[in-house]
Amino acid sequence: LDLRGELEEAVGVLNTHGTPLGASNLALYKQLARDLLGRGRGVSTPEGVWLPGVQSLRQALFRVWTALKASPGADAGDVREIDRLLHCAHYLCLHAACRSRGGAFSEVAASIALSLVRYCDVLPADRVFYEAGQACKEVGKLNQAFVLTNRFIDICELMDDGEDAALENSDFEGTDVPFDFHLPDTQFLPESQREEVRDWVLTQSMDQKIEPVLSMRSCSKCSAKVYEASLLCSSCNTRFKPCVVTGMPVGRGRGELSPEEVFEGFHSGAQFKDYVEFVLK
């Protein structure tokens, strides 16, 4: 089914008939997840068109992830990849839910948008950099907004030129933001809106108050400065767990939940608001 482009139907079959393990099956699940998560869409595409498929995929990946965690002979590489794809789908669903609710959830949505940049090699890269840049603008982080939005423009220009060339990566050096990713097949924004974004970037580049740098935090292990959304400290090589709601790094053990408790809770059918309040307490 997925070979014909009927990705949602393929995921539905997995949820109906099960997700047995096995090398060939795992390869199918991973490819199906990457095809669905990486599929391009426009900014005006309604959530009702793309979100149900991601929610269904999240359910299927959760079943695969659970089975792998319980399998003593599971390949560590398979566990890591399925775990990463599950987290990607998880945060994408949470981002849509928080953004649609607005209000107090807007700040959470902004943090998730930053965390989704970590998956620019899975999700359409132009979209995640644009949405993260917009999120930073909304909360007044204009330096970081400039860096992310400028990256968006660079990607759009390569797409216009039909090139899959490497981007200059100094802005993201020492972070866990992937720099090796394929260009999306379709533009997220129409040309008129991309031109408005270019004008904003140009205006900011001439503003002496704007410094093109990412927002930093202090590593809780070695105190070195590290990009605020990075799960990796490049100075001491410490890896931090992501917050289960925002995806941002959790510096200490306080407030952490086991992955089993997190995903069991998220998939238990509880009300979204109740689950988030439970996690944030």
Side-chain angles (χ1 to χ4, degrees), residues 156-179:
C156 290
E157 290 177 350
L158 287 180
M159 292 171 69
D160 285 337
D161 295 339
E163 298 180 11
D164 205 3
L167 291 165
E168 198 279 327
N169 202 55
S170 60
D171 288 333
F172 298 93
E173 186 176 355
T175 75
D176 59 356
V177 175
F179 59 87

Side-chain angles (χ1 to χ4, degrees), residues 23-268:
S24 59
N25 288 338
L26 285 172
L28 171 65
Y29 305 151
K30 289 185 282 188
Q31 188 60 53
L32 181 58
R34 286 187 171 274
D35 287 347
L36 198 152
L37 292 170
R39 185 171 55 187
R41 58 179 169 85
V43 65
S44 60
T45 304
E47 284 188 355
V49 173
W50 64 268
L51 184 57
V54 178
Q55 293 171 329
S56 183
L57 174 67
R58 183 189 63 198
Q59 298 286 348
L61 288 174
F62 173 67
R63 291 189 177 93
V64 176
W65 179 84
T66 301
L68 280 173
K69 297 284 284 186
S71 176
D75 179 77
D78 286 332
V79 175
R80 284 193 299 270
E81 187 168 0
I82 292 296
D83 180 86
R84 187 164 186 261
L85 291 169
L86 174 58
H87 274 81
C88 180
H90 172 73
Y91 291 128
L92 195 58
C93 292
L94 278 175
H95 182 241
C98 289
R99 190 168 56 178
S100 67
R101 282 160 175 78
F105 287 101
S106 297
E107 185 177 346
V108 177
S111 294
I112 299 173
L114 271 183
S115 298
L116 285 171
V117 173
R118 193 182 304 136
Y119 303 97
C120 67
D121 58 337
V122 177
L123 301 169
D126 61 332
R127 188 183 85 218
V128 295
F129 280 103
Y130 172 75
E131 291 186 336
Q134 292 297 108
C136 289
K137 284 172 60 179
E138 291 170 3
V139 297
K141 294 182 177 180
L142 295 183
N143 291 338
Q144 185 158 271
F146 176 83
V147 173
L148 293 165
T149 308
N150 192 52
R151 184 69 149 192
F152 163 75
I153 292 299
D154 289 343
I155 293 170
C156 290
E157 290 177 350
L158 287 180
M159 292 171 69
D160 285 337
D161 295 339
E163 298 180 11
D164 205 3
L167 291 165
E168 198 279 327
N169 202 55
S170 60
D171 288 333
F172 298 93
E173 186 176 355
T175 75
D176 59 356
V177 175
F179 59 87
D180 185 13
F181 54 84
H182 293 294
L183 296 177
D185 294 328
T186 58
Q187 297 273 7
F188 180 60
L189 293 184
E191 175 57 32
S192 59
Q193 288 183 251
R194 297 201 301 276
E195 192 59 36
E196 292 177 3
V197 176
R198 289 189 188 95
D199 290 343
W200 182 85
V201 169
L202 180 60
T203 300
Q204 299 305 307
S205 68
M206 295 184 292
D207 187 341
Q208 294 184 355
K209 296 180 181 179
I210 297 298
E211 186 178 359
V213 293
L214 296 172
S215 299
M216 309 297 279
R217 62 181 175 84
S218 295
C219 172
S220 61
K221 303 295 183 181
C222 71
S223 299
K225 294 299 182 181
V226 60
Y227 167 48
E228 66 171 344
S230 181
L231 300 180
L232 171 68
C233 173
S234 59
S235 296
C236 64
N237 291 321
T238 297
R239 287 193 174 275
F240 299 96
K241 292 182 179 180
C243 170
V244 297
V245 175
T246 66
M248 299 291 277
V250 178
R252 294 180 174 84
R254 182 183 60 191
E256 289 184 358
L257 297 173
S258 69
E260 289 80 7
E261 186 175 354
V262 170
F263 287 115
E264 288 287 358
F266 190 79
H267 292 277
S268 66

